[in-house]
Amino acid sequence: MKKEILIDREKGLTRVAILEDEELCEFYLEREGAEKLAGNIYKGRVQNVLRGMQAAFVDIGTGKNAFLYLGDEGPDKRDLAFPGQEAQIPAARQERVVANQDLLVQVVKEPDGTKGARLSTHITLPGRYVVLAPQMDCVGVSRRIAQEGERQRLKAEAERVKPAGMGLIVRTAAEGRSGEDFLEDVRELTALWEQIVGRVRAGRAPCRRRCLCGLPPGLWPCALRLPRRVRRPRPAARVAPVVWWSG
């Protein structure tokens, strides 16, 4: 399969198109100065804990304390539900949260007005076909894949390539794919997780305006923003040369 990445930068706007066999398969848009926090991972410091509200406020270095709900269960149960099996979310490996504690967190909701960002301690790293949940041991399949036979097949494929002690959730884009297609995502995401763990050990909290994936704020992928693999293209054997142009 021929793969090509087209990148256009003009007047603070970056557009990326990914083509496979000359057909558009992905498109991303990002405006300079409009970067988002959602998806970013930080080493934060707990400022205070409100047990009655099951809440903690965490300094992640963005100038406004972020909100952490202590009852957060992590992945959507509907992605982990299969016929004849009760959807169970395994407990994440985390400590009891106390004031002045350093904590690894991920932004799940943007700041809004006077409210800070919302956080989770359930870290997830999205790839093209799978999402890696490095702190949880589970396998799930997107609830948007409705055909139950296909969900069961994808679950079996994910179990075959899942890293020991970690979780994988198969994304909607993986419908019709095999475990071999997941392997590239798994290798990249586990390597990224190792990098993040190293930065957590070496860094101090809070890391001022710096997310732990090693990129500037706003560049860790979420739904419609530029993915890491576009900014750091794979070897030419797998991806054709990146084409840049500007208007």
Side-chain angles (χ1 to χ4, degrees):
M1 179 183 294
K2 177 185 176 182
K3 295 186 179 182
E4 190 173 18
I5 300 172
L6 307 179
I7 303 176
D8 173 31
R9 300 191 67 180
E10 180 183 13
K11 298 179 181 179
L13 182 67
T14 302
R15 289 168 288 198
V16 173
I18 302 178
L19 293 87
E20 294 183 351
D21 291 334
E22 299 184 353
E23 290 189 5
L24 179 68
C25 63
E26 296 182 57
F27 180 76
Y28 301 91
L29 180 69
E30 183 173 272
R31 296 183 184 276
E32 185 177 342
E35 294 87 359
K36 304 297 183 180
L37 297 181
N40 281 2
I41 299 169
Y42 297 93
K43 182 178 182 179
R45 176 159 295 172
V46 179
Q47 297 300 298
N48 59 317
V49 180
L50 303 177
R51 296 290 176 195
M53 296 175 58
Q54 285 192 290
F57 293 91
V58 183
D59 182 2
I60 58 173
T62 58
K64 185 182 296 184
N65 286 345
F67 173 80
L68 173 65
Y69 175 53
L70 301 180
D72 177 23
E73 293 186 342
D76 193 317
K77 286 185 177 181
R78 291 172 291 180
D79 291 339
L80 303 177
F82 297 91
Q85 303 175 24
E86 183 179 352
Q88 295 182 346
I89 297 179
R93 300 185 288 273
Q94 62 181 24
E95 306 171 19
R96 176 181 172 84
V97 176
V98 296
N100 297 318
Q101 176 186 355
D102 290 349
L103 203 62
L104 184 64
V105 292
Q106 186 169 32
V107 177
V108 295
K109 187 176 181 180
E110 298 290 335
D112 182 16
T114 59
K115 297 181 180 179
R118 180 162 178 166
L119 306 175
S120 174
T121 54
H122 298 271
I123 307 300
T124 56
L125 305 177
R128 182 174 182 183
Y129 297 123
V130 297
V131 175
L132 180 70
Q135 299 164 304
M136 306 179 75
D137 193 349
C138 62
V139 171
V141 177
S142 171
R143 62 188 179 279
R144 294 178 182 174
I145 298 177
Q147 212 285 322
E148 197 54 48
E150 176 66 357
R151 296 187 82 245
Q152 292 286 357
R153 185 190 71 81
L154 289 170
K155 179 186 178 186
E157 293 291 327
E159 287 174 339
R160 186 166 61 86
V161 300
K162 182 181 79 69
M166 296 186 182
L168 279 185
I169 299 176
V170 180
R171 305 186 70 177
T172 309
E175 191 168 5
R177 300 284 180 170
S178 70
E180 299 303 315
D181 296 315
F182 304 163
L183 279 176
E184 190 169 5
D185 276 356
V186 170
R187 292 189 189 104
E188 285 190 357
L189 296 174
T190 51
L192 178 60
W193 176 243
E194 291 172 1
Q195 174 188 338
I196 290 171
V197 170
R199 289 177 177 270
V200 169
R201 292 170 179 164
R204 293 185 298 176
C207 299
R208 296 291 169 187
R209 296 291 297 170
R210 193 75 178 177
C211 62
L212 289 171
C213 58
L215 298 177
L219 299 187
W220 177 241
C222 69
L224 294 177
R225 295 206 309 282
L226 308 188
R228 174 175 173 265
R229 64 177 175 274
V230 172
R231 295 181 177 274
R232 297 182 179 180
R234 291 166 183 156
R238 295 183 180 176
V239 178
V242 177
V243 178
W244 291 79
W245 79 93
S246 60

